[in-house]
Amino acid sequence: MRLAAPPPDNEPAGHLNVFLGALRNNGQVCGTDWPIVMDNGCCVATVLAPAADSLDERYHGTYVRKCIAEARQVGITFACSPIGPACDCADACACANPSAYVLFTTFLTLESPVRCMDCFGPVPLYPFTARPNADFHDVISWQSDYQSCDHLQMNCTVLERAATRQMSVIDSALAAAGRACCARLSELAGKPFYYYLYRDKGRSAAREAQRRCPACDGPWHLPATLHGCFDLRCDNCRLLSNLAFNLRRPNDDSR
Ligand SMILES: [Zn+2]
Ligand SMILES: [Zn+2]
């Protein structure tokens, strides 16, 4: 997706940056990598969008509309045109009526942090329609925090244990923020939203088999691994987890 903001005066790059930030917080643009270049007198950014029509006006929320109006006042207009499908992203969910969703991301993920529980395809945020004068800043912040923790635990050098703990335990600040996002999105969608608790290492397979839901202490082992990642699910508490990666069979980890 190319976004152009002519003409090259009145700080168009600044307005384009603010506009892209508003689109990101509304789920219409993914990630934060959007180098801005000059092309034929226009500021142009190449961005990743969840779908070919993600930048349609009908999906704009309060803040996106505000950015457009403010830019227009100084003679700047935004135009966009799709380039083509992204080559390295998971296939978007095409289910007509997903039964539930899960908040899920990793340090490698570029797509929306909302996944369909039925097909595990990414689902854009904007169709959930934030209330007036709101956006999905909380969800985008959670995604950014989660990815930061995942980076730290993958790199194994700085704050590895602390980062892993944030991703793994239910009473961490990261889990609390993520579960609050799930509750708000669930209210907007009228569907269950699940939160995933990462499980890195376990002491033994026997102890792993005895794990209980950390919120209600109920049984939560699934009969089979779901979407190559989830082995445990509590439908009461809307939580998901995996069997410890160090105790899984070699081919189990398709994460
Ligand atoms: Zn789906
Ligand atoms: Zn539970």
Side-chain angles (χ1 to χ4, degrees), residues 203-215:
R203 284 185 196 170
S204 70
R207 284 178 79 136
E208 206 59 15
Q210 289 166 7
R211 277 175 66 198
R212 313 277 289 183
C213 168

Side-chain angles (χ1 to χ4, degrees), residues 15-30:
H15 280 276
L16 185 51
N17 245 324
V18 172
F19 181 51
L20 289 171
L23 286 170
R24 177 177 179 242
N25 281 335
N26 198 41
Q28 291 174 266
V29 157
C30 303

Side-chain angles (χ1 to χ4, degrees), residues 92-101 115-123:
C93 162
C95 302
N97 191 16
S99 60
Y101 301 94
R115 298 291 186 105
C116 167
M117 185 63 100
D118 302 333
C119 73
F120 206 45
V123 179

Side-chain angles (χ1 to χ4, degrees), residues 100-103 114 128 181-183 185-186 189 191-195 238:
Y101 301 94
V102 51
L103 200 62
V114 172
F128 297 115
C181 291
C182 285
L185 289 168
S186 178
K191 299 270 181 74
F193 267 74
Y194 285 75
Y195 187 75
R238 294 179 182 170

Side-chain angles (χ1 to χ4, degrees), residues 179 212-220 233-239:
R179 294 183 81 202
R212 313 277 289 183
C213 168
C216 70
D217 201 36
W220 64 330
R233 180 175 73 191
C234 180
D235 292 322
N236 292 328
C237 309
R238 294 179 182 170
L239 289 172

